[in-house]
């Protein structure tokens, strides 16, 4: 499900960049040696395009592929005037370690004689 949303988001950004240039799908296809029907599928999030195909189409339209840390995604999307993107993954992950282990004593506890006999 998350992958579908990612494909749709990337496809939408590609379509917007293409339209901003005044290009048709055929125009972009000529610049990337891809069929207009394939590019349409990519733009609509229907095709699971390779990274190479996305990078090639994006490069032709003036875009670049990059990874964005999840915690900064909302900020980046706001910069490009796109709605925030919900993720399927929690931003904080609790660990079993948090509940099983006792934390180390603080510096104050170690120097104040805590635990000395």
């Amino acid at each position: 499900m998350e992958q579908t949303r990612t494909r749709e988001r990337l496809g939408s950004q590609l379509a917007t960049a293409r339209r901003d240039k005044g290009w048709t799908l055929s125009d972009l296809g000529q610049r990337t040696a891809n069929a207009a029907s394939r590019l349409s599928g990519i733009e609509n999030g229907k095709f699971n395009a390779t990274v190479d195909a996305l990078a090639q189409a994006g490069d032709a339209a003036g875009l670049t592929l990059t990874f964005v840390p999840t915690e900064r995604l909302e900020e980046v999307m706001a910069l490009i005037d796109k709605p925030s993107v919900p993720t399927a993954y929690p931003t904080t992950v609790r660990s079993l370690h948090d509940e099983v282990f006792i934390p180390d004593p603080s510096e104050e506890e170690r120097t104040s004689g805590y635990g000395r006999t």
Side-chain angles (χ1 to χ4, degrees), residues 14 23 28-35 38-39 42 49-65:
L14 178 60
W23 294 350
L28 183 59
Q30 290 174 352
R31 288 168 171 82
T32 62
N34 282 300
R38 175 147 178 80
L39 292 169
I42 292 171
T50 65
V51 171
D52 292 340
L54 285 171
Q56 182 185 38
D59 188 47
L63 302 172
T64 185
L65 291 176

Side-chain angles (χ1 to χ4, degrees), residues 79-99:
L79 284 172
I80 60 173
D81 293 326
K82 299 288 181 189
S84 63
V85 179
T87 63
Y89 310 106
T91 54
T92 56
V93 178
R94 292 192 38 87
S95 167
L96 182 60
H97 172 82
D98 296 339
E99 296 176 13

Side-chain angles (χ1 to χ4, degrees), residues 4-102:
T4 301
R5 282 186 277 200
T6 299
R7 285 195 310 265
E8 289 171 350
R9 183 176 70 246
L10 291 174
S12 173
Q13 290 174 5
L14 178 60
T16 299
R18 175 183 57 78
R19 288 184 193 116
D20 287 349
K21 291 187 174 299
W23 294 350
T24 65
L25 285 166
S26 294
D27 294 332
L28 183 59
Q30 290 174 352
R31 288 168 171 82
T32 62
N34 282 300
S37 60
R38 175 147 178 80
L39 292 169
S40 175
I42 292 171
E43 287 185 357
N44 290 303
K46 303 299 181 198
F47 291 158
N48 189 10
T50 65
V51 171
D52 292 340
L54 285 171
Q56 182 185 38
D59 188 47
L63 302 172
T64 185
L65 291 176
T66 187
F67 284 96
V68 176
T70 304
E71 62 272 3
R72 306 273 323 261
L73 183 58
E74 189 171 326
E75 178 183 342
V76 170
M77 295 303 282
L79 284 172
I80 60 173
D81 293 326
K82 299 288 181 189
S84 63
V85 179
T87 63
Y89 310 106
T91 54
T92 56
V93 178
R94 292 192 38 87
S95 167
L96 182 60
H97 172 82
D98 296 339
E99 296 176 13
V100 174
F101 294 96
I102 300 170

